[in-house]
Amino acid sequence: MTELKIVATITIKSDNKEEVLVALQNVVNATRKEEGNVSYDLHQNITNPLEYTILEVWKSQEAIDLHNASTHFEEFKKAIAGKIEGLKVDIIKQIY
């Protein structure tokens, strides 16, 4: 089975940077412990320090579904609600 990858880009409101960064670090730490997770890495845009990208690799769609239903992911969504400017999520797979 082909691994699935997610590219999630979050732009934080400047007044909420520290609080959202803590929430991002918390969700990364918890997600890395999930059985279906291969990797879950947080990156910061060097030209826009308010833009963060999580590069995720998952064993399956089922693993992604379990992650999306996890307590720590639900807590993350609540923690960032109203504190971000934008969110873009792409699920991709390698074809070549």
Side-chain angles (χ1 to χ4, degrees):
M1 176 173 273
T2 302
E3 291 177 339
L4 296 176
K5 298 173 183 166
I6 296 178
V7 180
T9 303
I10 299 168
T11 305
I12 300 170
K13 292 180 180 178
S14 59
D15 293 347
N16 303 108
K17 183 178 178 183
E18 295 305 318
E19 186 178 349
V20 173
L21 187 55
V22 168
L24 282 164
Q25 291 167 342
N26 289 340
V27 78
V28 168
N29 289 335
T31 301
R32 286 178 174 168
K33 297 173 186 171
E34 292 182 43
E35 185 178 327
N37 180 254
V38 176
S39 65
Y40 200 86
D41 299 316
L42 179 62
H43 303 267
Q44 184 180 35
N45 186 314
I46 60 171
T47 58
N48 179 0
L50 295 175
E51 185 177 280
Y52 291 84
T53 299
I54 302 172
L55 300 178
E56 312 172 26
V57 181
W58 295 92
K59 292 180 181 177
S60 66
Q61 182 62 52
E62 181 184 17
I64 294 170
D65 295 343
L66 289 170
H67 166 70
N68 288 341
S70 69
T71 302
H72 59 267
F73 191 67
E74 289 295 326
E75 289 171 356
F76 170 70
K77 291 192 297 186
K78 289 178 188 171
I80 68 169
K83 298 172 185 154
I84 63 172
E85 293 286 344
L87 171 65
K88 182 176 189 293
V89 178
D90 292 307
I91 301 176
I92 60 176
K93 64 180 180 178
Q94 184 173 346
I95 60 167
Y96 183 75

